[in-house]
Each structure stands twice: as structure tokens, then as C-alpha cells.
Amino acid sequence: MSFSFCKQFGKDKVIFVTKEDHATPSTIELPAPEPAEGVITKDGNINWSCPCLGGMATGPCGVDFREAFSCFQYSKAEPKGSDCFEAFTKMRDCFQLYPTVYNKANGGIDDDDDDPLADALPVDTSSEVPVKEDQPAESGAPAPPAEVVPSQTSSAVEKAQ
Amino acid sequence: MSLWTVMYSAIRRAHILARKRTIVQPSYQHAAPVFDLQRSCHGKLYEMAPANSSKYMPTAKQVFFKSVKYDTSTSGTLLDWQKQSDIDKHMSKDPCRLMTKEPGKQPAEDPCEQFKRMRLKNDPKQCPPSGSAAPDGGDGCNGKDSGDPNKSLKLTCLLGALAAMVAGGLIAWFLASTKNDDNKGAGGGSDGDNNSADAKRGVSGLVTSPDSSEKLPKHVPYLIIGGGTAAFSAFRSIKSNDAKAKVLIVSNEYHKPYMRPPLSKELWYTPNTNEKTNKDYRFKQWAGSERSLFFEPDEFFVDPEKLEESVNGGIAVAQGFSVQKVDAQNHTVTLNDGYKITYDECLIATGCAPKNLPMFRDAAPSVREKVMVYRTPDDFDRLLRYAAEKRSITIVGNGFIGSELACSLAHYSKENDGGKIYQVFQESGNMSKVLPNYLSRWTMAKMKNQGVCVIPNASIKSATRDEESLKLELNNGMTLLSDIVVVCVGCSPNTNLASPSKLEVDRTLGGFVVNAELEARRNLYVAGDASCFYDPLLGRRRVEHHDHSVVSGKLAGENMTGAKKPYVHQSMFWSDLGPEIGYEGIGLADSSLPTVGIFALPSATDARSSTDNLTVNREEDDGSKHTIIVDEKSNSDVVTWDDDAHGEQPDYGRGVIFYLKNEKIVGVLMWNLFSRVGLARTIINQNKKYDDLNEVAKLFEIHS
């Protein structure tokens, strides 16, 4: 047996509520959150301010990174990105000049070992044939699985600046 | 080497890097590493992005990844997501129920007990055998401080100012020998703490970088005054919008840009930390991964002398230089030594300087050397040495830094069998500027449980120095012996350059007055602590929080590259006070406003034997589902509960507090609730009156 109740301390009001009290959905309706803008904006441009780039666009190899990333993103070649050899080589060469920034940088604990890509990326590259890219313009946010969808605590508005 | 080999290696590196610093996180993290127990916790806080933002934003990894569809990659991506959702599911099953302390760690006795007996002697201390004769004859145990350059320097400085001045002068002369103008030496901090600071820097080998201002460029497209969080955030933003931007930071600090929040929090929970083992100030984040206090390693930065010729631009930091004035009309910044730099766009991000109390400022040198403020990594080093020597530490002030530091030090002391930690302040509870009174006092009780000897309603009447420590007489008749006093009574914005630059300073809030675009004058912006900006929603404000520095720095950076955006994204703040209290807030979380707090009550089905008076009240009632208003007058004991009578307190374990102005929600505090800042921001942005705040509270899912 439980129910909510209030206390009033001068100007400060306190309400204690049970889980059951809050079991019914709220009557408040908030505007639908804007979809989060990812690294690719709605109109297909690259959002270099995206925090998901982890500062790569601002680092000492930022310009090379941008060139490689843009080349890849806008590549119409078959397979996609195959015309970006030069840009990627340049980016890689630059990365090698700054090992503390681009290798162990700030993280440290995340290493190749636990990189899911290590499993996903083919080891023997010669046998791999890149599949044709069927969506030239990435739509930005890949839909996360249903379980991961945030509730109404929309993180999307966080980006609204 | 085939194309794909190169691509793979490059992409892989990119992925690894992106992964390291991305925001993609499950909403509940794994066990908090900091404390020995689990609770849901803050999201990643130290990314240069609005905290909590874009959890589900695609990362560079995903984009590269999705784009290059190899046979196995699709499943890889799915697997990745799957793993994450598993974590989510798993964690949401037992989110906050584990918020109990380890029984063994519960301090059995009142931490103030000893103090109440007017403790007259300190914990036994030993002088290390290597202790050499220090210039200060008064301190018999002074040898143990001989490893402390700052301190021994201060002694030198204060007792034998001559020597220090000569040394400082010599170095200054060295430095200035190539300059036209009279250089005050290394630094001269904008906080105006000059001679000793200069001498200190000179003597302890802190020299400016580059060694002369003449080596700085004469013109830079982007000039940032100050080298803190707002400055670095602005740089990120500028460089994102202007790929080849050349940015020069002029900082009076001797560190590369770093973040401050961990100085009072996480760093104290890093085991076996000390200056030598932890030069980069590495710490473990709530989210589990480790990182440095520094935003980026040294390699990230361009040498200021090479900035002009760099093809791709970058960021250079001139360390140890102070700015005297900004001439907005002529786009010119003048350094303290008279050197002039012209700019296209300039940002003032000078931050603020911690306040001291007049009674300590005017005290005898022997007292002053045992009093410190707390803001920098050097302050952390110094305090850590005291803590490591098991000294007793007194913190003055009840705000964010004071309260966090008290908790962190108490934890450190408990782990290392250290000295006592006192916290003295005039108010009746911790965090009283933010938390409503009932919660402020509840928090204080929790902090006492953690071993902090909190002494509220008290101020220090006098401080005298005996052989080893400070004797503090409080106005409530108590006397306190302490080895070091840390003054945490807020800070004041560094606006010294306002008057020579003819810039307006806000009379009540302090800080440079700027408009909603953070603009003081054309092409001159102010961000961070020193910015008194116009918030179109909540009015004129000045905010001293890490996330505000990130947000305002980012906005200023965008506007410096031509965005012309107003301040619309509310910054957030967070704090942790030991293992049982963590909170996040947004908007005007000002305890002088009327508040409505909605807290979770364990439901009947919960197997939790809550025996607080609320339960009793409930049982006395007829069981109807009505809401009872317990009036303050009719139940005054609720208001005046004894701090130590834990059994009689309501449990403010988890909930949400709304701060109201004209009946609209202008601030939200999420008490032990995390990952809900976005929701709170949306609600504040509605700028609406809500008839039933309980309905609003439902959105916060305070029971889940």
C-alpha cells in the first residue's frame, strides 16, 4: 500500500511518488525531437563538427583526413573509394608523423585487440571484393535497433545548437 | 601493396581513433570504476561535445563501415549494435538498486567526534630523514616539504624575498634581453598576483614558450586569449568550420589546454597517483576508459614560431604570456611586454581566478603558506602531497569545488589511512546555492557518512600558526588544527584587460558583457567563465561550468567563422559527491527560486524495509490514494531533523527537481538520474507553465 504525498518546506515543495503512481503515461506532450545530425547531414554534406569524428577533423592531419573522407564519401567509382588511393595514402602518412595523437592519443585502453573491426575487417584483402555501394548518399544516422532507441529523453535536441 | 591494403590500414586507424573518442555509449554504463560499487552514471563527459549528446549518432567508423560493404562487415555492424543493446538491456535491469555502501566502509563513529573534543594534537608525523634545513626556521618538520618547489619557493619568496626577486629578475633579464620593452618576466598573470608569481615561475624554471614574444607571429587569423576549456573548444569549432585555420592561443598558464573537473573528482580516485607516476594526469572516466586531463598530447600542437608558415594551419599555444589589452577597432592585441599581434577574429576566454578570503590574504606569511586556493593541476599536486603525507586538511566553502574536494579527499584519506578532512562554511548545508535547503542538509549528512567532518554555520575567526600547523578559531567557539587550508569560495572572472580595452564589465554578475552571439565588439568574442552573455530564453547570465565553456566556446568559434548564431543550446553541469550522490542539472538551478522536487519512493512491491517517517505516515493514513500535504508547521520536526538521526530522514535517493520562475520551469536538477539532460533541455525550451509538475516528472522515469 503506497501512494504519493507532499511536503512543503517554505518555497520548496517535495513530492514522493511510487513506481505505481508513475506507471501511467504522462499527459505532457513534447515536440518530436529532431533527428540527431550525424556525420552526414540530411542534404548529404559532411558535418565536420560532428563530435563523432572525435576531433579527427581538427587534428594535425585534419586536412588530409577531410580529403580522404570526402573523397570516399563522394566517390562515384566502382568500387566506391577506389579512386581515393592517393588521399588515403597521404592521410596514413600524416598519421604516422603523429603517433601520440593518432595511435594511443587520449584513449589508451581501446586498442586493436578489442576493436570489433578487427573481426569484421577482412584480413586477407586480396580475396575481398568490395560490394557495390547501393546508397551513394548516406542518410546519416543508421537506425539503431529498437532496444537502443532512447525513450523520450531524446538526445537529439542536444545537437540543436 | 594494393589499394585496399592502404585503405584498410587507414580506415582502421580512423576507426580506432573515432571509436576512442566517440559518443556512442549505452545509456547505462558498466560498473563505475571510480567507486567500489555500481550505479548508473554520467555519460561521457569529457568529449568536446555537448555532454550526453548524440548517443546514436553515426560515427566515422560506421560511415566508413557502412559505406564499404564487405561480406562480413554488415554482420559486424549488427553485432556491434547488438552488443550495445545487450549492455543496455542488462544494465537497465539493475540500474540504481546497487547504490548501497559497502558495509565495511561505513564509518562507525561520527567523524566530528574527535574534533568535538577540541583536538589539540595532530596525527603523529615524521620528518623524513632527508629533511634538509629549510629557510623557514619556524617549521620544525619543514624538511618534508623540501620536495615541493612551490612551497619552498614561497618560503624563499616570503621570508627572503630578496633572493627570489633577484633570481626572478635575473631570469627576467635573460628573457627580456632580446626584447624592446621592459618585460616583467615569465608570466605576470592576468589575475594580478604578480611579484611572487613571477618569481615563482622564474625560479622554478617555468619559462615562457616560445622564450620570447618576438617569436610569435605578428598576425594571426584567429587569436584566442586564454588557454582553458572554452579556448580549446573554440579552436575545435573554428578548425571544423575553417579547415586550414591558423589559431594562436595566448595563455598565461604553463600547461597545454586541459580540463578542470577531474581535479576535484576523478583524479583523486586514481590509485597510487602522484606527480611522477602520473605526469599526464590520467584518470579513469565514469564510462570506464582512461584519459588524460590534457585535451590533446603535445604533438597535436604547432610550434608558435611555425604557425605562420604551416600549410594546413593548426593550433599553437604561446604559454606564459599575458595580454594587456585588446584594441577592437584596430584588431590588435598587446601583450604585457608591449608586443603587438593583429588578428582577424579574436576570442577572450580568460576564465576566472579563485577568490581568497581577506583574512588569509592579509595574514602573516607563515599563515599564508598554509593556505591555498584550488584550480590548477599544480594545486592538485600540492594538495595531493599533503594528502599523501596524511595531513589534516580543512576546506573552506560549501560549493561545487569545496564539496567535491571534501568528498574526494575523505575517500582518499579512507583508502590511505590519512588525516582528517574538515569542511567549514557559513551556510547550513552543502551546495546551498544550488540545492533546496532540505536536500542541501540531506547531502551534508551523506557527506558526513563518507567521513567528511562538515562544520556548517561557522566561519573562521582567526588563523594562527604554531610549529607545524594552523590553528583555526571558528566563530562558534571551536578550534581546529589543520595542516593546510584550501579556500574554495568561488572565483571571480579575469577581466583585467577590460578597462584598458574599453570593454564593458557587468556590474552585478561580473564578466565581459556580450550579446546573444557572444560578441563584445565586432570580431571580438568572449566565451567561458568570463563571458556575461545574453541568453534569449533565460536572460543575462554568467556561468562557471565546464560544459558551459565547451558550449560557449563552440558557439563563439562558429560565429568567428561566420555562423552568426545566438545562444540557444543550454549547457549542463554535473557533480559527484561520493558514491551515493551524483547529479546533473541544466538551466537556472538556483536554490533561491521556488522548487518542486519529485522523488522516487520505493513501491510496496520493493523488498526494501524502509523505516523512515514517511512510511509511518503512510501507514497511519486510511490508505486512500490521496496526496497528503504535510505542512511545515504541523510537522516541523521534518524540517528540523537532526543531522545524525538517519532513521528519521526521508530518503532523497533519486528524483527530479524543477526550479520555477513566474511558474515556468527555468531549471532542472536530476538527482541520481542520468542521461536525461536532453529531456530537461527540451522542457526548459518549452518556456511553459505546467499545471501538474508530477506529470512532467513522469517523463523522467525516476523509478527506472
Side-chain angles (χ1 to χ4, degrees):
Chain A
M1 175 81 326
S2 62
F3 46 85
S4 59
F5 62 94
C6 296
K7 286 166 180 288
Q8 186 89 34
F9 305 115
K11 66 173 183 60
D12 298 313
K13 189 175 175 183
V14 181
I15 305 172
F16 281 91
V17 292
T18 61
K19 195 170 185 174
E20 291 74 29
D21 294 324
H22 272 198
T24 54
S26 170
T27 56
I28 309 287
E29 281 185 30
L30 293 174
E34 281 179 39
E37 192 169 80
V39 70
I40 307 300
T41 60
K42 274 169 262 168
D43 40 9
N45 293 321
I46 300 170
N47 169 23
W48 297 114
S49 304
C50 180
C52 54
L53 291 176
M56 269 214 287
T58 63
C61 301
V63 173
D64 296 322
F65 169 76
R66 281 175 183 235
E67 273 163 22
F69 197 101
S70 307
C71 176
F72 186 85
Q73 181 61 29
Y74 300 124
S75 168
K76 297 223 160 43
E78 281 299 326
K80 182 171 178 163
S82 57
D83 50 346
C84 301
F85 181 88
E86 212 173 304
F88 273 92
T89 315
K90 211 174 155 201
M91 177 174 87
R92 187 201 55 180
D93 291 348
C94 182
F95 280 2
Q96 283 169 351
L97 295 176
Y98 301 95
T100 61
V101 177
Y102 291 98
N103 208 6
K104 299 285 175 192
N106 289 328
I109 64 148
D110 289 345
D111 224 333
D112 297 32
D113 317 335
D114 65 341
D115 186 358
L117 282 164
D119 312 320
L121 277 177
V123 181
D124 179 9
T125 54
S126 58
S127 65
E128 294 295 328
V129 181
V131 174
K132 183 186 168 187
E133 172 58 44
D134 48 7
Q135 295 171 303
E138 284 298 326
S139 58
E147 306 93 283
V148 202
V149 171
S151 51
Q152 73 282 57
T153 56
S154 159
S155 52
V157 277
E158 303 270 350
K159 263 299 281 176
Q161 55 171 335
Chain B
M1 187 195 298
S2 77
L3 163 76
W4 293 111
T5 321
V6 176
M7 291 273 286
Y8 287 143
S9 107
I11 294 173
R12 224 175 115 78
R13 273 171 185 280
H15 292 168
I16 292 163
L17 190 77
R19 240 167 60 78
K20 246 176 220 173
R21 300 188 235 168
T22 60
I23 310 291
V24 177
Q25 286 293 326
S27 55
Y28 288 101
Q29 313 293 345
H30 272 302
V34 179
F35 304 110
D36 298 334
L37 49 89
Q38 289 185 315
R39 75 163 194 215
S40 61
C41 64
H42 307 286
K44 276 204 173 179
L45 297 164
Y46 299 121
E47 310 304 321
M48 262 300 166
N52 283 345
S53 77
S54 54
K55 261 182 291 180
Y56 305 101
M57 218 174 262
T59 62
K61 174 183 77 180
Q62 289 160 338
V63 172
F64 268 127
F65 207 25
K66 264 195 88 182
S67 310
V68 195
K69 284 188 181 163
Y70 305 105
D71 289 340
T72 52
S73 64
T74 325
S75 62
T77 317
L78 284 176
L79 268 176
D80 205 14
W81 279 113
Q82 202 62 52
K83 270 188 220 162
Q84 202 169 309
S85 54
D86 282 345
I87 292 168
D88 249 11
K89 271 190 281 181
H90 173 72
M91 290 311 287
S92 52
K93 272 179 196 161
D94 54 347
C96 259
R97 291 293 170 219
L98 297 158
M99 281 171 28
T100 47
K101 299 181 87 175
E102 285 181 29
K105 300 220 164 172
Q106 197 92 20
E109 59 174 319
D110 180 2
C112 292
E113 205 51 54
Q114 263 181 292
F115 163 73
K116 282 174 184 159
R117 282 185 243 121
M118 304 277 176
R119 190 177 68 108
L120 282 173
K121 62 178 168 91
N122 279 315
D123 303 320
K125 296 185 205 81
Q126 292 177 330
C127 296
S130 62
S132 59
D136 176 6
D139 189 346
C141 219
N142 198 46
K144 62 184 151 243
D145 291 320
S146 60
D148 177 345
N150 288 353
K151 200 207 143 201
S152 57
L153 168 64
K154 265 200 173 162
L155 295 178
T156 317
C157 200
L158 296 168
L159 292 183
L162 203 64
M165 291 304 284
V166 167
L170 265 176
I171 290 193
W173 178 80
F174 257 130
L175 294 173
S177 57
T178 53
K179 294 176 193 168
N180 327 334
D181 298 275
D182 57 326
N183 185 0
K184 280 181 92 182
S190 61
D191 45 9
D193 187 25
N194 299 309
N195 282 346
S196 67
D198 280 357
K200 174 168 96 181
R201 286 159 186 171
V203 171
S204 52
L206 288 172
V207 289
T208 60
S209 163
D211 56 7
S212 157
S213 57
E214 293 217 319
K215 293 184 178 165
L216 296 174
K218 290 201 161 22
H219 175 84
V220 281
Y222 299 95
L223 180 64
I224 300 177
I225 305 170
T229 301
F232 197 74
S233 175
F235 156 74
R236 287 256 202 245
S237 168
I238 291 168
K239 196 84 164 84
S240 299
N241 293 294
D242 179 353
K244 297 191 175 178
K246 294 175 185 178
V247 182
L248 176 69
I249 283 183
V250 178
S251 167
N252 64 0
E253 290 198 69
Y254 291 82
H255 291 288
K256 289 283 189 311
Y258 61 90
M259 56 190 69
R260 297 186 199 275
L263 291 171
S264 56
K265 305 184 186 75
E266 290 93 333
L267 272 172
W268 291 97
Y269 297 85
T270 308
N272 304 320
T273 185
N274 69 54
E275 293 158 79
K276 284 177 193 129
T277 58
N278 194 5
K279 272 190 181 151
D280 289 337
Y281 301 96
R282 297 190 75 78
F283 62 91
K284 215 159 198 194
Q285 306 183 76
W286 276 99
S289 61
E290 198 185 282
R291 69 157 294 149
S292 163
L293 203 61
F294 295 102
F295 289 114
E296 291 289 350
D298 276 355
E299 245 181 15
F300 186 90
F301 299 88
V302 182
D303 184 340
E305 296 174 55
K306 293 180 183 151
L307 184 65
E308 264 180 313
E309 69 212 33
S310 70
V311 183
N312 289 336
I315 180 173
V317 185
Q319 290 171 220
F321 293 96
S322 291
V323 170
Q324 188 198 352
K325 69 170 179 182
V326 183
D327 180 344
Q329 199 171 353
N330 294 310
H331 289 196
T332 306
V333 160
T334 308
L335 304 189
N336 264 7
D337 62 7
Y339 186 81
K340 287 183 166 54
I341 303 171
T342 56
Y343 62 81
D344 296 332
E345 302 284 339
C346 180
L347 173 70
I348 298 175
T350 46
C352 65
K355 291 182 202 163
N356 201 343
L357 294 172
M359 64 157 302
F360 290 126
R361 214 172 34 229
D362 304 337
S366 60
V367 171
R368 282 211 305 264
E369 74 186 20
K370 294 286 186 189
V371 177
M372 63 183 287
V373 291
Y374 195 80
R375 191 163 173 83
T376 64
D378 306 292
D379 294 333
F380 167 76
D381 289 338
R382 185 175 178 201
L383 194 55
L384 182 63
R385 279 194 295 270
Y386 276 98
E389 287 167 3
K390 309 190 191 301
R391 305 302 194 93
S392 105
I393 298 169
T394 299
I395 287 154
V396 182
N398 79 339
F400 282 95
I401 306 289
S403 302
E404 287 173 2
L405 205 49
C407 282
S408 300
L409 283 167
H411 171 90
Y412 183 93
S413 187
K414 213 186 296 174
E415 295 289 305
N416 298 282
D417 201 20
K420 287 199 82 66
I421 310 299
Y422 302 99
Q423 191 188 11
V424 181
F425 48 81
Q426 291 176 317
E427 298 81 1
S428 61
N430 287 82
M431 298 300 309
S432 60
K433 271 192 177 170
V434 174
L435 305 180
N437 190 259
Y438 64 90
L439 198 55
S440 165
R441 299 185 57 176
W442 187 84
T443 301
M444 179 169 69
K446 289 286 175 198
M447 286 182 59
K448 286 183 177 179
N449 277 351
Q450 286 163 39
V452 181
C453 176
V454 189
I455 305 163
N457 305 309
S459 60
I460 297 172
K461 209 166 62 180
S462 74
T464 47
R465 175 74 189 271
D466 77 0
E467 289 262 310
E468 294 191 358
S469 55
L470 274 184
K471 190 170 157 195
L472 305 170
E473 281 182 40
L474 309 187
N475 64 348
N476 60 5
M478 294 171 164
T479 305
L480 206 54
L481 285 182
S482 192
D483 295 302
I484 182 85
V485 171
V486 191
V487 182
C488 305
V489 293
C491 69
S492 47
N494 292 322
T495 51
N496 279 8
L497 57 83
S499 148
S501 311
K502 301 189 170 59
L503 296 173
E504 184 183 357
V505 170
D506 190 275
R507 273 195 228 168
T508 46
L509 299 170
F512 298 92
V513 177
V514 293
N515 64 16
E517 295 173 25
L518 308 184
E519 193 183 41
R521 295 275 295 273
R522 207 162 286 228
N523 308 112
L524 179 62
Y525 297 81
V526 189
D529 295 348
S531 173
C532 187
F533 63 103
Y534 186 72
D535 177 346
L537 182 65
L538 301 173
R540 190 150 289 279
R541 301 169 72 188
R542 193 172 67 79
V543 181
E544 294 167 0
H545 285 298
H546 174 84
D547 189 54
H548 173 68
S549 290
V550 172
V551 167
S552 63
K554 181 174 194 288
L555 177 62
E558 284 179 86
N559 287 341
M560 288 164 83
T561 49
K564 297 174 185 160
K565 287 186 187 171
Y567 179 95
V568 289
H569 178 87
Q570 293 292 332
S571 65
M572 56 84 76
F573 63 86
W574 80 94
S575 183
D576 292 299
L577 298 173
E580 285 186 69
I581 298 174
Y583 55 96
E584 298 180 347
I586 187 165
L588 302 179
D590 175 352
S591 63
S592 67
L593 297 170
T595 69
V596 176
I598 291 113
F599 291 87
L601 196 66
S603 62
T605 50
D606 280 336
R608 186 166 145 182
S609 58
S610 171
T611 52
D612 57 29
N613 62 342
L614 308 177
T615 319
V616 178
N617 283 352
R618 284 205 306 279
E619 282 162 2
E620 280 167 3
D621 199 79
D622 59 4
S624 64
K625 285 243 171 190
H626 287 283
T627 295
I628 310 163
I629 306 276
V630 184
D631 193 79
E632 185 179 5
K633 285 164 196 153
S634 66
N635 200 355
S636 57
D637 61 318
V638 176
V639 190
T640 58
W641 47 265
D642 184 73
D643 288 341
D644 301 320
H646 304 294
E648 291 183 13
Q649 292 170 38
D651 183 10
Y652 300 108
R654 198 141 58 117
V656 59
I657 298 149
F658 301 113
Y659 296 76
L660 307 172
K661 203 174 198 174
N662 302 323
E663 295 172 59
K664 289 174 181 170
I665 298 174
V666 292
V668 181
L669 193 79
M670 290 141 281
W671 191 250
N672 282 324
L673 287 176
F674 305 95
S675 308
R676 287 153 170 87
V677 169
L679 169 67
R681 185 176 289 123
T682 309
I683 289 167
I684 292 177
N685 285 339
Q686 299 309 299
N687 194 27
K688 248 168 70 174
K689 289 182 186 176
Y690 290 100
D691 295 331
D692 189 352
L693 288 175
N694 191 32
E695 289 297 320
V696 184
K698 278 184 184 174
L699 298 170
F700 284 85
E701 300 180 326
I702 61 177
H703 291 90
S704 64

